[in-house]
Amino acid sequence: MHNQKALVIFSGGQDSTTCLLQAIQTYGRDNVQAMTFHYGQRHSIELECAHWIAQDLGIRQTVLDLSLIQQITRNALMEEGAAIQTASNGLPNTFVDGRNALFLLYAGIYAKGQNIKHIIVGVCETDFSGYPDCRDVFVKSMNVTLNLAMDYDFQIHTPLMYLTKAQTWALADELGYLDYIREQTHTCYNGVAGGCSECPSCVLRERGLREYLSARQAV
């Protein structure tokens, strides 16, 4: 697939970095671009990580400002000092309404202008914290919507959709980047470099890593 181009929605976290590395292997470094979104997240560390990784890997990165979303929705991921909690319906208050729909829409607009048909996003419904816009049915519906909206043959890829966090770590290891992703990526909701070990994102990430390393050791 080295004669085709791909755009990776890239946050600088474990999942999107794994997707970026896999895309480089699949499409070739010169055919891969990254798109990062500033949407008013309360910590800048993930944007800094995304910038550093894109530069380190030699990938063209486009950063879009979608912080206007702060005018119409509120959530713990965008409010400084807000306590991270889970509602009675099981939905964490870190869920940003419409975020992935906006990400895919803007990625699609950009991709068409760049003659890119492959859009890659690291969403997952196996370990997805209950976010409805990480489900396969949502992504498939957006794929159809984008194709109809722009009369363009987009293909949205979700390589992590049915992987556990342990399996995502295994994929990073297969790509030869386990330590790179451990050391250079950021997923902590509290913005703590290296992780706080307490927020849902850190707990999921660290538990998955322990499971993978334990399984690898047992082989």
Side-chain angles (χ1 to χ4, degrees):
M1 299 183 74
H2 278 49
N3 61 338
Q4 300 183 47
K5 295 191 288 185
L7 176 67
V8 179
I9 295 178
F10 180 56
S11 70
Q14 173 193 355
D15 293 343
S16 65
T17 303
T18 302
C19 288
L20 181 62
L21 292 165
Q22 185 184 57
I24 291 170
Q25 185 180 91
T26 303
Y27 299 92
R29 191 179 310 273
D30 293 341
N31 294 321
V32 174
Q33 294 189 43
M35 176 165 280
T36 303
F37 296 95
H38 168 55
Y39 56 90
Q41 52 267 62
R42 65 186 190 177
H43 304 294
S44 62
I45 186 170
E46 67 175 16
L47 296 172
E48 294 164 2
C49 285
H51 176 71
W52 187 90
I53 292 169
Q55 283 200 321
D56 186 60
L57 296 177
I59 296 298
R60 177 179 171 184
Q61 180 194 31
T62 299
V63 181
L64 290 187
D65 184 356
L66 296 184
S67 57
L68 57 82
I69 196 175
Q70 291 176 293
Q71 299 175 33
I72 56 175
T73 188
R74 298 180 64 186
N75 55 78
L77 210 57
M78 294 156 55
E79 293 182 28
E80 185 68 37
I84 296 171
Q85 302 170 335
T86 300
S88 58
N89 64 358
L91 189 64
N93 65 349
T94 50
F95 174 62
V96 183
D97 286 313
R99 180 178 62 171
N100 285 343
L102 282 175
F103 287 1
L104 288 168
L105 174 61
Y106 279 94
I109 295 169
Y110 178 84
K112 184 178 180 182
Q114 297 288 313
N115 194 32
I116 296 171
K117 293 194 173 182
H118 299 280
I119 299 173
I120 300 166
V121 59
V123 295
C124 166
E125 68 173 46
T126 303
D127 289 327
F128 75 131
S129 301
Y131 291 180
D133 62 357
C134 288
R135 295 175 298 173
D136 185 60
V137 64
F138 163 73
V139 176
K140 282 185 167 58
S141 73
M142 278 299 294
N143 203 149
V144 172
T145 296
L146 291 180
N147 291 355
L148 291 173
M150 287 178 260
D151 193 23
Y152 192 74
D153 186 23
F154 293 107
Q155 297 179 46
I156 302 177
H157 303 273
T158 54
L160 310 183
M161 181 58 74
Y162 297 112
L163 300 186
T164 65
K165 269 293 179 285
Q167 290 170 326
T168 301
W169 283 113
L171 176 58
D173 204 5
E174 289 169 18
L175 293 167
Y177 281 91
L178 178 66
D179 290 338
Y180 187 92
I181 290 176
R182 288 177 70 175
E183 296 165 7
Q184 306 301 339
T185 65
H186 176 84
T187 49
C188 178
Y189 288 158
N190 289 318
V192 177
C196 69
S197 299
E198 297 177 356
C199 74
S201 183
C202 283
V203 169
L204 192 61
R205 172 180 171 130
E206 292 172 12
R207 184 175 65 212
L209 180 59
R210 287 196 302 271
E211 289 176 2
Y212 170 63
L213 293 177
S214 176
R216 187 178 69 170
Q217 221 172 20
V219 174

